[in-house]
Amino acid sequence: MPAERRGPRVHDVVGIGFGPSNLALAVALAEEREEHGAGVDAVFFEKQPEFGWHRGMLIDGATMQVHFLKDLVSLRNPASRYSFLAYLHDRGRLVDFVNHKTMFPTRVEFHDYLEWTAAAFADRVRYGTEVVALRPHDDETLEVVARRDDRLETHLARNVVIGVGLEPVLPEGVQAGERIWHTEDLLTRLEENKDWNPRRLVVVGAGQSAAEAVEYLHRTFPETEVCAVFARYGYSPADDSAFANRIFDPEAVDHFYAAPGDVKRMLLDYSRNTNYSVVDLDLIDELYRRSYAEKVAGAERLRILNASRVLDVRGDAGGARVTVAFLPTGEAAGLDADAVVYATGYRERDPFDLLGEAGGDCLAGPDGRPVVERDYRLATASGRAWGVYLQGATEHSHGIASSLLSMTAVRTGEIVRSIARRSARVTPAV
């Protein structure tokens, strides 16, 4: 009797990227299977050679800006064995952490928690693999084209979840180089210059990453002048008060999604000081304490160039020349620096850049951005049963909190439920 001919394998879910968002998705899919006995065939493609999340800013002592209970799972499943508390118990530090009396672990410890969780799903991740294109295969499946070891491979998927994170932003006309860096690469660049003894370092920006970079460089190089350049008169504190933090509540996403356009814009404007270009008050106080102490001692290494703007920067292998203008007078001065560090933030990646041919079947709004349904699925042309879900690039539709770590557990739970509802069939997990 001839052997049965089988078509190509079709994955229920292909995750693009394996940062915290799609790691949380992997956990949610596994727990859905444990609870309901329905297996889901999921695979994740990550272009990094191993798991890593903002490694260039894992500054010792820097803390998370979100409560430890806003981990990968707890707001969705407090009993999960992948919670931050479960991690602490496994590491033998639960009692020690409780005695520490903090709600905000260090970034280094939280990254270790993420690695600990990622290790449990290593068999479902293809590291060193970059997805380069998506295209419709038929009405029910997508072709996912991935590059690995300079070779292209094609996979079929009923659902694709994009979680590629943010991309760093430099001011127009500025290019990263040997002595011009984005904070994303801060520790990586410093590791490349282990025996360095810089005379002057310049940090551009007024947000949390900028302040952390200033503090770290000032502490790490005790003989180096560190110049902080920003247009504000001083660092602005983040509004993390209890009522303001309600913008990060799960129900706030429902409210934002249902609101008319003018209300959406108003809510975004009102809540920007909870997340953008703001600094933890404790860090502001520490930098001011150092600055004042140096003034008292008559030896100022920490220079706050406030109400100022970088007009020009030119770098080479030996350093950089920075022209800084004091905005109230317009007076400009040049600074010779060993390196310039830009803490100028990140932006959402445009999903259409990755969607390729599949983007032709995804609907866009008048502003050119994708139309995103409440369950984070891209709205598609009639007849398309495959799904593309976004973990990011949804601030315009779902609000400021929708793509942040604080919403990850809830968001991935919603995506998993949506996939389960829409699936025509479920295949056993491998």
Side-chain angles (χ1 to χ4, degrees), residues 302-382:
L302 178 55
R303 294 179 58 193
I304 306 297
L305 305 182
N306 58 354
S308 298
R309 177 173 296 142
V310 173
L311 299 181
D312 185 57
V313 58
R314 301 181 185 276
D316 55 36
R321 176 72 174 177
V322 188
T323 303
V324 179
F326 184 56
L327 296 177
T329 64
E331 181 180 357
L335 292 173
D336 290 318
D338 293 273
V340 181
V341 182
Y342 278 92
T344 43
Y346 300 81
R347 62 171 162 246
E348 297 177 327
R349 300 178 191 271
D350 186 348
F352 284 116
D353 291 343
L354 180 60
L355 286 170
E357 294 179 36
D361 289 317
C362 297
L363 306 183
D367 57 2
R369 290 184 291 196
V371 176
V372 188
E373 297 176 355
R374 176 59 188 86
D375 58 2
Y376 299 96
R377 181 181 181 270
L378 291 180
T380 55
S382 176

Side-chain angles (χ1 to χ4, degrees), residues 416-429:
V416 168
R417 289 193 296 273
S418 174
I419 290 173
R421 287 195 304 267
R422 297 180 61 88
S423 292
R425 63 185 178 88
V426 178
T427 56

